[in-house]
Amino acid sequence: MTDDRSSTPADEQRSDPTASGDTEPIDAGDEHETGDAEFTIADFHDASQREGRPVLTAAAVSRALEMPHEEATERLEALADRGELQRHAVSTDPVIWYPSELEDLTDRERVVVFPKRREIVVDRPAQFTRAQLSQFAHLADGNGEQGYRYVVRPEDVWGTPHDTFDELVRTMRQALGQRSDQLEDWVESQWDRAHQFRLTTHEDGYTVLEAQSPEIMGNVARQKLDEEHVHAPISETEDWVREGAEAAIKRILYEAGYPVQDHRELESGEELPIDLRVSLRDYQRTWVDRFTEAGEGVFVGPPGSGKTVAATGAMAHVEGETLVLVPSRDLAQQWADTIVEYTSLEPHQIGQYHGGRKEVRPVTIATYQIAGMDRHRSLFDDREWGLVIFDECQHVPSDVYRRSTHLQSKHRLGLSASPIREDDRQTEIFTLVGPPIGTDWEALFDAGHVAEPELEIRYVPWGDDEQANAYGSADGREKYRIAARNRGKIDEVRYLLSAHPDAKAIVFVDYLEQGRDLSEALDVPFLSGETPYHERRRLLEEFRRDERDLLLISRVGDEGIDLPTADLAIVASGLGGSRRQGTQRAGRTMRPAGGALVYVLATRGTREEDFARKQLQHLGRKGMTVRERTVEHDAD
Ligand SMILES: Nc1ncnc2c1ncn2[C@@H]1O[C@H](COP(=O)(O)OP(=O)(O)OP(=O)(O)O)[C@@H](O)[C@H]1O
């Protein structure tokens, strides 16, 4: 059962071809499933596409698919015998071949599988195919001319919603329209890994770790775990788990490449009847169903896709007292408003717990900051929580993680707008909160649930020689800082605002000095960490009520402040943070209101330009349209 070829998540990250910038053309043909026995109509379609014609001779097929002429003829005949191809013989010319359903060629989605790279490329996928694919793969590239590129990683297999491997294979075959033995074998090995261990609840109430076989128990669990985690063996395949050690066990085994199935009976906490006052969208219902089945999980969707609303659906399912952890006070207020708007709960049942207020009520919304403090640790135990929600769970600070390990017996739900898995947070999220539950973002854009922003990166020249010279002689981070604060960006911001006179706009900056300069030049208030909380709230409120149409925000704006009606965002600096920040900033304006535009400014010919380009390629892969423009001195 143990498969040495399978890798741990860490290995996988290193060998992930997308991570190493592998940009090999997808049509390279090196891995086409043209194995000896298999020659399918899809191969014929490949050949027609390469030849640019729907009707082919055997010679053309042999050329396109690089196989001997004789072999091509043989295979074409076999396909014709199966009724998938038609032949047409013209007395003096070679026989020509075409698909039995010629219209296929224009309508049908083409699926090409690259089993070694575990990639699937689909042309014009139908909604159904996308939904199927997203159950075992994730969309890595949705914007290229090469079609949609899906990648299957171990975590994708580990998190599938299927009960049996056979069901999973059925979904795969439906999605791919073909069998790929090599891919299926690999998926099976990952499936096996994820089904070696499970946590269950003994009838006497304690937790048991069960292994599929005595060998896996002996060779993996009992090597990795010690008395800190388990009391004593119950049998060759079962260990009695120490209370509170569940999270550590899940983490250790996950890191060893054996994610643990969590089948414990979860506590539902003190009862709290909740009715929903909104009808969930189909994809939200799927999210909630998957959460319901597992009792844990992370909703992953772009900003504005309705994760918070779907979370109220999860609350209505658990119907237990709920603790919501959020990154900022502003978000705490928004959660309280959303819960009142979309559920039958009354305002007096909802408490907020942060620097400003200390209310613990049946539904309590607390900030991570407070939740991480020793003197507020009782928050976790004050009531019998049945559900703990981690909003923006990619930001959960490590002290909160440490503190929340004992929440393993509750239902756990994470929300995240950043499906980026480039750091080890992924392990923590997966083991402490749960596996990702996602939808392919493109599908949400297509269905009109989230407006796709137009994203434009503008390369701006230096505003004056002084800064350009300073850049030349600076080094390292200083170079980046100078480029970020290029005074030429002030004119550019002005130009963009004047080009969109009716837009409600937000300008993001990363440097206080730049924010102050812009604030003065544009005569708008600047919201930074230095702005008092009530002042920040007031400005945001005014913006929300359409009493203001321009805001200038520093990093502070990044942590979950909701600006629902912004329809223009200018990132004047600050793409230099993490990818995630870039995603969030761009996402800030992705609201159902639609028509959002995002401009990102980068100083021409500097590191900032390189950086922005990389970031935006990433956003492009997430399904946004990205455009680049070089600004001449007279803003165009
Ligand atoms: N099922 C639904 N029916 C009607 N409106 C909905 C539904 N789901 C979401 N919305 C609306 O879509 C908007 C965004 O929803 P929500 O705040 O839940 O998104 P989100 O993904 O949590 O966003 P963010 O990542 O910014 O927190 C809200 O205005 C909400 O009212």
Side-chain angles (χ1 to χ4, degrees):
M1 232 28 126
T2 49
D3 179 350
D4 290 339
R5 286 166 307 151
S6 307
S7 45
T8 63
D11 289 332
E12 194 54 40
Q13 259 174 7
R14 278 193 294 276
S15 62
D16 178 355
T18 54
S20 61
D22 176 351
T23 51
E24 183 182 338
I26 287 160
D27 267 353
D30 54 349
E31 289 191 36
H32 273 235
E33 294 251 281
T34 49
D36 278 313
E38 286 284 317
F39 179 80
T40 67
I41 189 75
D43 297 306
F44 185 87
H45 287 303
D46 283 344
S48 350
Q49 202 185 34
R50 270 185 225 161
E51 292 288 301
R53 277 178 294 128
V55 172
L56 298 175
T57 60
V61 171
S62 106
R63 183 170 58 234
L65 300 182
E66 291 170 23
M67 59 172 69
H69 189 282
E70 222 168 279
E71 193 181 329
T73 309
E74 228 169 73
R75 291 177 169 198
L76 290 166
E77 276 167 358
L79 272 188
D81 290 346
R82 299 216 298 266
E84 290 175 78
L85 280 186
Q86 299 293 322
R87 75 191 95 198
H88 184 68
V90 189
S91 55
T92 51
D93 292 323
V95 175
I96 53 167
W97 306 83
Y98 58 93
S100 299
E101 290 177 356
L102 197 53
E103 64 273 15
D104 263 10
L105 212 55
T106 47
D107 293 344
R108 100 186 238 298
E109 51 184 28
R110 294 175 59 256
V111 181
V112 184
V113 183
F114 298 89
K116 264 193 242 149
R117 297 209 296 262
R118 303 190 300 275
E119 285 185 17
I120 299 151
V121 177
V122 202
D123 228 9
R124 286 190 284 270
Q127 286 289 353
F128 173 75
T129 309
R130 283 196 198 172
Q132 303 284 86
L133 281 167
S134 65
Q135 294 187 33
F136 62 93
H138 74 282
L139 183 65
D141 197 342
N143 206 28
E145 283 166 13
Q146 317 252 17
Y148 290 66
R149 189 168 62 89
Y150 287 83
V151 178
V152 192
R153 295 161 312 179
E155 309 85 279
D156 297 318
V157 179
W158 298 348
T160 57
H162 302 82
D163 290 330
T164 64
F165 178 67
D166 285 349
E167 283 174 27
L168 170 58
V169 166
R170 213 170 306 135
T171 304
M172 285 176 66
R173 290 183 188 163
Q174 277 172 354
L176 305 181
Q178 58 191 280
R179 287 174 66 140
S180 168
D181 290 339
Q182 206 179 339
L183 185 64
E184 286 177 15
D185 285 351
W186 181 84
V187 167
E188 186 171 16
S189 74
Q190 290 303 326
W191 171 275
D192 280 346
R193 277 183 168 262
H195 290 80
Q196 294 303 315
F197 291 106
R198 60 184 200 140
L199 289 173
T200 57
T201 306
H202 190 271
E203 57 185 20
D204 292 337
Y206 56 84
T207 304
V208 177
L209 175 69
E210 281 179 25
Q212 218 21 285
S213 66
E215 292 72 37
I216 195 90
M217 194 61 158
N219 294 336
V220 181
R222 291 187 182 147
Q223 302 296 322
K224 305 260 175 204
L225 305 174
D226 51 36
E227 65 266 26
E228 243 181 88
H229 310 109
V230 286
H231 286 292
I234 301 172
S235 73
E236 280 189 319
T237 55
E238 293 165 306
D239 275 354
W240 174 9
V241 171
R242 270 188 195 277
E243 211 178 320
E246 292 89 350
I249 291 176
K250 281 160 82 177
R251 185 177 178 124
I252 291 167
L253 293 178
Y254 181 95
E255 281 174 347
Y258 294 93
V260 178
Q261 298 279 319
D262 197 340
H263 291 183
R264 283 169 302 150
E265 284 162 22
L266 296 177
E267 292 164 16
S268 288
E270 193 65 38
E271 214 172 291
L272 180 67
I274 304 177
D275 287 324
L276 268 197
R277 293 234 169 94
V278 58
S279 85
L280 295 179
R281 298 169 181 155
D282 285 348
Y283 66 88
Q284 288 172 320
R285 210 164 294 135
T286 310
W287 289 352
V288 175
D289 288 348
R290 283 183 60 183
F291 164 81
T292 303
E293 255 172 51
E296 56 173 19
V298 178
F299 295 161
V300 184
S305 57
K307 298 181 294 295
T308 315
V309 173
T312 61
M315 289 170 65
H317 164 75
V318 176
E319 292 208 305
E321 297 197 345
T322 300
L323 176 64
V324 184
L325 298 172
V326 300
S328 71
R329 268 201 231 181
D330 298 279
L331 264 180
Q333 184 58 47
Q334 276 171 42
W335 266 89
D337 296 344
T338 305
I339 293 170
V340 170
E341 184 174 352
Y342 292 111
T343 73
S344 55
L345 293 172
E346 304 279 341
H348 68 83
Q349 296 174 287
I350 302 163
Q352 292 187 40
Y353 197 98
H354 46 61
R357 285 154 77 171
K358 303 272 183 308
E359 305 151 347
V360 179
R361 297 191 182 155
V363 172
T364 297
I365 308 156
T367 56
Y368 286 129
Q369 202 197 359
I370 275 266
M373 291 180 187
D374 267 345
R375 68 200 158 87
H376 295 288
R377 64 190 320 162
S378 62
L379 178 65
F380 292 103
D381 309 311
D382 272 354
R383 297 186 86 101
E384 273 186 51
W385 307 119
L387 168 65
V388 183
I389 300 179
F390 298 84
D391 194 11
E392 310 231 10
C393 66
Q394 72 280 9
H395 288 320
V396 179
S398 43
D399 46 5
V400 174
Y401 262 127
R402 237 177 293 120
R403 192 139 303 150
S404 33
T405 49
H406 75 291
L407 298 175
Q408 285 289 305
S409 54
K410 329 272 183 198
H411 293 77
R412 281 153 286 119
L413 174 65
L415 308 184
S416 173
S418 296
I420 303 167
R421 298 141 207 262
E422 59 194 9
D423 52 24
D424 62 2
R425 267 294 144 85
Q426 177 193 343
T427 313
E428 280 175 325
I429 295 174
F430 199 109
T431 55
L432 271 164
V433 187
I437 298 175
T439 311
D440 103 42
W441 292 20
E442 194 88 355
L444 300 179
F445 295 138
D446 282 0
H449 291 306
V450 185
E452 181 178 1
E454 286 258 46
L455 205 137
E456 183 170 304
I457 171 164
R458 296 177 71 88
Y459 303 118
V460 183
W462 288 106
D464 56 56
D465 291 344
E466 190 196 323
Q467 277 188 316
N469 294 336
Y471 179 85
S473 50
D475 50 20
R477 275 218 68 75
E478 186 59 14
K479 258 190 169 15
Y480 186 83
R481 226 164 56 83
I482 297 172
R485 289 159 46 190
N486 170 10
R487 286 188 282 269
K489 290 179 178 176
I490 296 181
D491 283 343
E492 187 60 21
V493 171
R494 230 192 237 119
Y495 162 76
L496 289 172
L497 292 173
S498 66
H500 301 278
D502 300 325
K504 284 181 77 178
I506 312 163
V507 180
F508 292 102
V509 298
D510 225 21
Y511 294 93
L512 291 180
E513 189 188 315
Q514 186 186 26
R516 291 192 199 110
D517 288 350
L518 271 164
S519 167
E520 198 173 307
L522 305 171
D523 193 22
V524 301
F526 173 40
L527 271 83
S528 73
E530 294 173 354
T531 317
Y533 177 76
H534 60 90
E535 175 73 0
R536 244 193 288 165
R537 252 200 95 128
R538 184 180 61 81
L539 292 170
L540 289 168
E541 241 346 278
E542 288 175 4
F543 188 81
R544 234 169 249 138
R545 288 200 301 260
D546 287 345
E547 289 161 16
R548 260 179 200 287
D549 57 6
L550 178 59
L551 280 183
L552 181 58
I553 298 189
S554 79
R555 261 180 203 276
V556 130
D558 263 356
E559 289 303 319
I561 293 180
D562 194 20
L563 299 164
T565 51
D567 38 25
L568 172 68
I570 303 174
V571 181
S573 63
L575 218 62
S578 62
R579 270 187 187 182
R580 191 172 293 133
Q581 213 171 49
T583 315
Q584 284 188 343
R585 284 208 169 132
R588 195 65 59 209
T589 55
M590 285 163 39
R591 293 288 152 179
L597 263 179
V598 182
Y599 290 104
V600 173
L601 309 186
T603 301
R604 229 163 72 186
T606 66
R607 291 177 175 203
E608 199 184 31
E609 170 168 342
D610 304 337
F611 205 91
R613 186 168 281 142
K614 271 197 214 114
Q615 296 271 11
L616 297 184
Q617 277 165 357
H618 170 75
L619 292 175
R621 272 184 247 121
K622 290 276 156 289
M624 297 182 198
T625 36
V626 176
R627 192 167 55 208
E628 294 175 61
R629 183 149 298 175
T630 299
V631 179
E632 299 308 329
H633 262 286
D634 295 327
D636 57 349

